[in-house]
Amino acid sequence: MKHNIAEVAALQPDYLGFIFYKKSPRFYDAEEIPKLPAAIKKVGVFVDEKISKVIELTRKHALDVIQLHGNEDKEYVLDLQRNLVLCHPDILIWKVFSVADNFNFNQLAVFENKVDAFLFDTKGKEKGGNGYVFNWELLKAYSSQKPFILSGGIGLEEIETLKEIQKTDLPIYAIDVNSKFEDKPGLKDILALKKFIAEREKK
């Protein structure tokens, strides 16, 4: 695992995610996160976790981003912010929303001024890593200027569609890749990631 993290880090992604959800096959339970280049931000992924535990792991691993992947409501986010301001005032909070065949973007309103970005993932039986994309046509209804991360089953076959959607005025902040680039849960296929990066850079 440590070697694989180093190989991924060598590809210089903007962010590396670590899942702190015990029910996930990608649960990260190592004592520490290997030292990463300063330019790579560490994202801690949490699912309806106790705020005290989120704070504990944020401090322990010097996280840069907290990704909330559960049913956390606005009161949870506000409580989390109150706790973070004392020890980690610069940390970012991303709120995840699972998208199925349709999606009501009005539900984002209560989080608009409380989180730094949204993340849209595919709704499935798991909290993430379900391996297939949702209907990106739904994003045409996104009217906010809040940046968002596009996630959910993105693989090599989505590259051309990604290039097209990133030509629009949607505020796509980042692309999250996961299960389509794994040899097994939590272990990334480095050659596939290299190919993805190379193809994305082609005009």
Side-chain angles (χ1 to χ4, degrees):
M1 176 69 77
K2 185 175 182 180
H3 178 67
N4 188 245
I5 291 172
E7 288 183 309
V8 175
L11 301 179
Q12 300 180 325
D14 295 312
Y15 298 91
L16 264 179
F18 299 88
I19 299 177
F20 300 109
Y21 177 53
K22 290 183 178 180
K23 294 182 180 180
S24 170
R26 301 169 184 84
F27 175 54
Y28 191 80
D29 60 353
E31 186 59 31
E32 62 182 22
I33 292 175
K35 186 173 178 59
L36 301 175
I40 299 176
K41 305 300 183 185
K42 290 175 285 188
V43 181
V45 180
F46 299 93
V47 178
D48 300 318
E49 183 59 85
K50 291 181 179 179
I51 287 177
S52 59
K53 187 66 174 180
V54 175
I55 299 299
E56 175 192 332
L57 291 173
T58 296
R59 182 181 292 112
K60 177 179 179 180
H61 297 296
L63 300 177
D64 301 289
V65 181
I66 292 172
Q67 179 175 313
L68 301 176
H69 214 299
N71 299 309
E72 301 89 358
D73 58 17
K74 69 174 184 177
E75 284 74 22
Y76 179 100
V77 175
L78 288 171
D79 195 12
L80 177 60
Q81 288 175 326
R82 282 192 289 267
N83 281 272
L84 287 171
V85 75
L86 301 175
C87 51
H88 302 282
D90 298 323
I91 198 165
L92 302 179
I93 298 176
W94 297 348
K95 183 71 181 83
V96 177
F97 292 88
S98 297
V99 183
D101 296 331
N102 51 64
F103 187 77
N104 180 7
F105 286 96
N106 291 331
Q107 64 185 294
L108 306 179
V110 296
F111 295 96
E112 184 77 27
N113 299 315
K114 297 176 180 64
V115 299
D116 298 283
F118 298 126
L119 186 150
F120 297 123
D121 196 5
T122 305
K123 188 172 185 178
K125 66 177 183 177
E126 305 296 340
K127 285 294 184 181
N130 288 289
Y132 54 95
V133 299
F134 63 88
N135 180 9
W136 292 348
E137 288 292 309
L138 295 172
L139 294 172
K140 291 180 178 179
Y142 186 76
S143 59
S144 172
Q145 290 304 305
K146 176 73 67 177
F148 69 84
I149 296 90
L150 184 59
S151 186
I154 296 172
L156 292 168
E157 57 273 22
E158 277 72 47
I159 289 175
E160 294 307 316
T161 309
L162 278 173
K163 288 180 180 180
E164 291 304 312
I165 197 172
Q166 289 189 285
K167 291 177 183 177
T168 69
D169 59 0
L170 286 168
I172 300 174
Y173 179 68
I175 303 298
D176 176 42
V177 297
N178 191 10
S179 58
K180 285 285 188 71
F181 293 91
E182 290 183 325
D183 292 320
K184 63 180 183 179
L187 192 67
K188 296 296 181 284
D189 181 336
I190 303 303
L191 291 179
L193 284 171
K194 286 181 177 179
K195 184 175 181 180
F196 181 79
I197 293 169
E199 292 294 326
R200 286 286 313 283
E201 292 175 349
K202 287 182 180 178
K203 300 297 183 183

